Amino acid sequence: LVMLLPAPVSAGSYDLGRIMDAALENRDILRMYEISRRQAEEGVRESRAAFMPGVDASYTANRLEDSTLFENDENASWKIAARWNLFAGFGDQGALDTARRRVEVQEALMEGLRQDVRLETALAFLGVHQALAEREVADSTRTLYRKEYEQAGTRHEVGVIRRADYLKIKVVLDDAEQAWTRADAAVNKAMNQLSRTSGLTLTLSDLDFSDFQQLRKLDNVDSLSVQMRQRRSELKILDLTRAMAEDSVRVAQSAYLPRADLTLSHGQSADNYHLSDNVEDETRLTLSFSVNLFDGMKKPALVQKSRLEISRIDHEKRETLDSLDVQLQNLLLDADVAKNNLRVAEAGMDEAEEHLRVTEYSYREGVSTTTDLLDAITYLSRAWANRITARTAYQETTLRV
């Protein structure tokens, strides 16, 4: 009556797993991150271009005031050249490795976002379940008050109870009716949130709450900590970012090494713009070596900057691990508190039900007052609500774990 509201299960109903999968398919924010990942893949292609030869074509037209011994006043030339970098101090390889790691970072970001979307959807799903249970409690409470109000009317007519007691029950019944109205609105709001989170247009008949019938068991903190360190996307991102910083050190150190380029070019020059008079052909193969001797201490600054970034990431990872460990320990403490509260609440329900039964009997016999009866109904309603709160708190904690 209070907590477990079985919904009819059909081929079109959504349980917890299915509705989380639907959210992953429907949310536009995941499509945004997918585009970012594809952009990172294009960055890999861009970095690979450094290993391929480049080809340039050019045409040059000159106009002089007067012809000279070596050059006509109107002359032109064209050239096509293929250039290939043979060695650049392994900087190109470092840039390519960094681009590949950026793809992995985007994938880790997407995985973290998937985790967030699944959790958000699961909590919204649990929110609907809780709102339904609270509405059922509000309905049961107003039903009890309505029954007493109807009986009190007859008892008042025959003079068994005072008009003040009769009106007191009516006031409490009106308050219970308002509480049910608020609970019903809370169900609709929870459904709206679930529809937004999952990207589906849902009705209550579409939902299957069977996953919340049993309480999930949690592993011990050591086992969960190991799983957390293996799966948390922010830890993977920090590891990849550290590797990228190491690549940056290699790229910065490559500036100390010489560069070798090979160029093959062919062109023509002539004494007119149409390249038809006194045409000369030239084919040239050039191998060049170059090295920077001094750049104002830029190279050591870049190397040191990248090494400092590695140290910074190491500190950030330790801070992140410490923070995650504390969050996990606190969640497990919350789970223990919720489980203990649930045990107390379930015992309190039995006591509240028995208290109401005894009070009703005493009230019929004229021993208990109207206030005693109304208090007994309130205590039972509070016990129901405490059970819902404790059970939902435990389920929410397990989802967050």
Side-chain angles (χ1 to χ4, degrees), residues 59-60 67 70-78 268-281:
Y59 170 82
T60 304
S67 298
F70 302 101
E71 190 174 4
N72 195 36
D73 58 347
E74 292 184 356
N75 64 85
S77 64
W78 69 269
Q268 292 180 333
S269 60
D271 288 342
N272 57 49
Y273 298 147
H274 302 291
L275 300 174
S276 59
D277 295 337
N278 297 324
V279 178
E280 295 182 1
D281 285 283

Side-chain angles (χ1 to χ4, degrees), residues 130-165:
Q130 179 183 9
L132 282 171
E134 290 174 345
R135 187 177 70 176
E136 185 68 18
V137 169
D139 185 58
S140 300
T141 302
R142 72 171 180 173
T143 299
L144 289 173
Y145 284 133
R146 187 181 292 129
K147 182 188 73 171
E148 297 301 333
Y149 177 69
E150 292 170 354
Q151 294 180 359
T154 303
R155 294 165 66 85
H156 172 59
E157 289 177 0
V158 299
V160 175
I161 64 172
R162 299 175 302 165
R163 178 172 176 79
D165 292 331

Side-chain angles (χ1 to χ4, degrees), residues 224-241:
L224 289 171
S225 180
V226 171
Q227 296 178 56
M228 178 187 69
R229 291 165 185 264
Q230 293 173 346
R231 297 178 181 177
R232 289 293 296 196
S233 58
E234 53 262 63
L235 298 178
K236 296 179 182 178
I237 291 171
L238 286 172
D239 289 337
L240 290 169
T241 305

Side-chain angles (χ1 to χ4, degrees), residues 197-268:
T197 304
S198 64
L200 298 168
T201 302
L202 298 167
T203 62
L204 287 174
S205 60
D206 297 326
L207 305 181
D208 169 20
F209 296 108
S210 58
D211 291 291
F212 298 134
Q213 300 288 339
Q214 301 294 330
L215 297 179
R216 298 183 181 186
K217 293 183 179 179
L218 295 175
D219 296 333
N220 61 61
V221 65
D222 293 331
S223 175
L224 289 171
S225 180
V226 171
Q227 296 178 56
M228 178 187 69
R229 291 165 185 264
Q230 293 173 346
R231 297 178 181 177
R232 289 293 296 196
S233 58
E234 53 262 63
L235 298 178
K236 296 179 182 178
I237 291 171
L238 286 172
D239 289 337
L240 290 169
T241 305
R242 190 184 193 284
M244 290 167 61
E246 292 174 349
D247 293 337
S248 297
V249 173
R250 286 196 301 156
V251 172
Q253 289 174 337
S254 68
Y256 288 98
L257 299 176
R259 178 185 177 95
D261 295 281
L262 183 66
T263 304
L264 175 64
S265 64
H266 175 76
Q268 292 180 333

